[in-house]
């Protein structure tokens, strides 16, 4: 069992939480349990911090990536 | 008129005696004095000639020395002028080189500052655009946008 943190800009629906959990279970080839945190600073989207790695699917993360590319 | 022989003889003898006396006591001393004086004059003239010759030689020598001194002075002056010109040319060349280096250095610094200013402007502009975008997204994002983003995230999560 691998535990992780799902941070979401909005409260995820049970279906969404289940889909994300299954996706990471398949990815890590292990049972996954996600703790949910709501953070409006993400603007939209989610991040998953699991197995020592941060998977970022949020607008905030995209903006940060953009900032890093432009500003350095 | 009767000529008295003895009187004539006496006169002749008298004349001879006078001649001999003059010759003995007057002519010889005067001649001696005159000879001495002539010799002295000749000696003095010779001495004067010798002195004149020496003076001419000395003058010639001094003229040569003076001519050499003039030549040396002219040569030294010419050499000094040449050295001065060469030194002046070196100073001017050095000043030009340093001036060009300063100009090049100033140009490099100006280019660096311009590039830095450009980068700062680009960085500030990018920061401003991102900040504005973030605020606009925060105002206008919807739950649908969020769900679409989550869907995209799950589709590409194994590629990240």
């Amino acid at each position: 069992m691998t535990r992780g943190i799902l941070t979401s800009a909005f409260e995820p629906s049970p279906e969404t939480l289940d889909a994300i959990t299954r996706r990471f279970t398949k990815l890590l080839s292990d049972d996954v349990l996600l703790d949910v945190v709501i953070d409006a600073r993400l603007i939209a989207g989610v991040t998953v911090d699991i197995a020592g790695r941060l998977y970022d699917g949020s607008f905030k993360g995209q903006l940060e990536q953009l900032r890093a590319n432009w500003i350095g | 008129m009767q000529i008295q022989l003895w009187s004539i003889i006496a006169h002749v003898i008298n004349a001879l005696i006078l001649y001999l006396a003059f010759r003995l006591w007057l002519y010889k001393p005067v001649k001696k004095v005159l000879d001495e004086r002539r010799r002295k004059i000749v000696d003095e003239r010779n001495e004067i000639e010798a002195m004149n010759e020496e003076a001419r030689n000395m003058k010639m020598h001094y003229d040569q020395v003076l001519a050499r001194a003039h030549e040396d002075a002219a040569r030294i002056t010419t050499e000094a002028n040449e050295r001065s010109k060469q030194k002046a040319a070196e100073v001017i060349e050095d000043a030009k080189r340093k001036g060009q280096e300063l100009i090049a250095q100033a140009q490099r610094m100006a280019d660096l500052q311009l590039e830095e200013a450009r980068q700062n402007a680009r960085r500030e502009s990018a920061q401003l655009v991102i900040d504005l975008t973030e605020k606009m997204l925060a105002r206008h994002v919807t739950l649908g946008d969020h769900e679409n983003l989550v869907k995209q995230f799950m589709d590409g999560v194994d590629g990240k």
Side-chain angles (χ1 to χ4, degrees), chain A residues 54-72, chain B residues 126-127 130 134 160:
Chain A
L54 180 67
Y55 298 84
D56 195 337
S58 66
F59 273 162
K60 181 73 174 176
Q62 292 179 13
L63 288 173
E64 290 301 326
Q65 185 66 40
L66 198 60
R67 191 194 314 271
N69 290 338
W70 282 2
I71 299 174
Chain B
Q127 183 68 47
I130 291 170
E134 186 173 353
K160 291 186 180 179

Side-chain angles (χ1 to χ4, degrees), chain B residues 4 8 15 17 32 43 51 57 63 67 113 131 146-149 152:
Chain B
Q4 296 179 352
I8 294 171
I17 291 169
K32 186 181 178 183
D43 289 345
M51 290 174 66
N57 290 336
D63 284 345
Q113 289 177 350
D131 289 346
H146 168 76
E147 289 175 348
N148 285 334
L149 200 56
Q152 290 175 15

Side-chain angles (χ1 to χ4, degrees), chain B residues 3-105:
Chain B
I3 301 173
Q4 296 179 352
L5 182 60
W6 287 107
S7 178
I8 294 171
I9 292 171
H11 279 295
V12 169
I13 291 170
N14 197 17
L16 283 171
I17 291 169
L18 278 175
Y19 170 74
L20 292 172
F22 279 164
R23 182 178 177 81
L24 182 65
W25 289 306
L26 188 62
Y27 176 74
K28 282 188 177 177
V30 169
K31 187 175 184 299
K32 186 181 178 183
V33 168
L34 290 176
D35 288 343
E36 184 69 23
R37 184 164 184 169
R38 181 180 296 115
R39 189 185 53 78
K40 192 174 179 181
I41 289 171
V42 169
D43 289 345
E44 287 179 351
R45 183 180 296 163
N46 290 337
E47 188 177 351
I48 289 171
E49 281 296 324
M51 290 174 66
N52 281 338
E53 182 65 22
E54 186 180 358
R56 279 195 295 273
N57 290 336
M58 289 179 67
K59 182 177 182 301
M60 191 180 301
H61 173 68
Y62 290 138
D63 284 345
Q64 291 174 350
V65 170
L66 191 60
R68 280 200 299 272
H70 280 304
E71 290 175 0
D72 288 346
R75 181 176 50 78
I76 290 170
T77 302
T78 302
E79 289 176 357
N81 284 336
E82 289 298 322
R83 280 199 300 273
S84 297
K85 287 179 183 175
Q86 186 177 359
K87 188 67 179 173
E90 288 174 1
V91 169
I92 291 171
E93 189 62 29
D94 189 52
K96 282 183 181 176
R97 184 177 52 77
K98 287 182 178 174
Q100 288 172 347
E101 286 177 359
L102 285 174
I103 290 171
Q105 187 177 1

